[in-house]
Amino acid sequence: MGLQDLINKYDNGGFSKTGWFQLKDDGDTATVRLLHKGEVGVKDGETDYDFPIYEVHKLDVDGSGRDRTCLCKGESCEFCKSGNKPQLRMFLQMINKDEKDKDKQVQLWERGLTDIKNLIGLAGEYGDLTKRDIKIKRSGAKGSLKTTYQYFPKDPSEMEIPEPQNLVGSLILDLDREDQIKAIEGRLQLNKGNNNDSNNDSGAGATRVF
């Protein structure tokens, strides 16, 4: 299923370390530099993007009381079969230029359908999004379920940026059928180590990246 098909599907109803980007209250702003270009070519007849966009499930996989993010496997997905509905999510990595602690400037922002479409629109209008700062502004009081975000791209400017990390197998668990069943039953054994990246692509032994 292509990206546009996924967008249409969902449009129709369908850490211990501070690594998460957040604007906490109405009118809050931050200036960021994305680690994703946006448009990166054409694939299967439609525009291809490097935004980390996945169909995922959210559930407590190990009985800890905290939901984890797991890749949806489509028609063979045990999470879908169990009644856990998938969500379309984007996991933006960025440099928060307003963060004073340089060790915490690289941050992650998880967004849904509305912001996926907004970022796709920005990429179409402005080109490579790694070439310019973007000011993000929150509209919506703290705790509001109707919060929206505005994006204000700045003029292009040079800046060295790191490569975005691969979140699949670490923050986003990529589970085989057996581990999916364990996760549904809340008995999947996860690595309880610190927040370092992991090379375990299955996800069962992965640790969080941010």
Side-chain angles (χ1 to χ4, degrees), residues 87-103:
Q87 309 170 33
L88 190 66
R89 307 298 290 176
M90 174 172 61
F91 299 84
L92 286 176
Q93 295 177 52
M94 62 182 70
I95 296 174
N96 183 353
K97 302 183 79 171
D98 292 338
E99 171 59 59
K100 304 305 181 185
D101 187 340
K102 292 187 180 299
D103 290 335

Side-chain angles (χ1 to χ4, degrees), residues 29-204:
T29 65
T31 298
V32 308
R33 181 66 66 103
L34 296 183
L35 306 189
H36 314 285
K37 294 180 178 181
E39 296 183 7
V40 292
V42 177
K43 183 177 181 180
D44 297 328
E46 71 173 60
T47 304
D48 192 24
Y49 300 88
D50 67 349
F51 296 128
I53 300 172
Y54 305 99
E55 269 193 298
V56 300
H57 296 270
K58 303 276 189 173
L59 69 159
D60 178 1
V61 301
D62 59 357
S64 66
R66 182 178 66 182
D67 282 354
R68 295 293 302 265
T69 302
C70 304
L71 278 181
C72 178
K73 296 293 190 175
E75 293 183 359
S76 63
C77 183
E78 295 295 328
F79 297 130
C80 291
K81 294 176 184 177
S82 73
N84 186 306
K85 292 184 178 180
Q87 309 170 33
L88 190 66
R89 307 298 290 176
M90 174 172 61
F91 299 84
L92 286 176
Q93 295 177 52
M94 62 182 70
I95 296 174
N96 183 353
K97 302 183 79 171
D98 292 338
E99 171 59 59
K100 304 305 181 185
D101 187 340
K102 292 187 180 299
D103 290 335
K104 298 179 181 179
Q105 286 182 340
V106 178
Q107 298 182 351
L108 179 70
W109 199 29
E110 182 181 342
R111 306 308 307 147
L113 180 62
T114 296
D115 292 296
I116 290 173
K117 294 192 289 185
N118 285 340
L119 267 294
I120 287 174
L122 283 181
E125 183 69 23
Y126 293 95
D128 187 345
L129 297 179
T130 66
K131 300 298 185 182
R132 64 180 75 230
D133 293 341
I134 299 175
K135 181 179 179 181
I136 304 175
K137 181 178 181 180
R138 172 179 172 137
S139 296
K142 185 175 182 179
S144 172
L145 299 178
K146 297 182 179 180
T147 297
T148 59
Y149 296 90
Q150 293 175 284
Y151 301 86
F152 303 97
K154 305 299 183 180
D155 291 336
S157 60
E158 293 296 323
M159 179 179 179
E160 289 190 19
I161 61 172
E163 290 291 325
Q165 297 185 48
N166 179 17
L167 303 180
V168 177
S170 52
L171 179 73
I172 304 170
L173 303 181
D174 185 6
L175 305 178
D176 59 24
R177 180 177 180 276
E178 182 179 349
D179 280 343
Q180 281 190 335
I181 293 172
K182 290 179 181 178
I184 291 167
E185 297 171 350
R187 57 184 182 88
L188 184 67
Q189 295 296 312
L190 295 178
N191 189 325
K192 302 300 183 181
N194 56 23
N195 299 329
N196 294 324
D197 198 358
S198 170
N199 293 321
N200 185 337
D201 290 334
S202 73

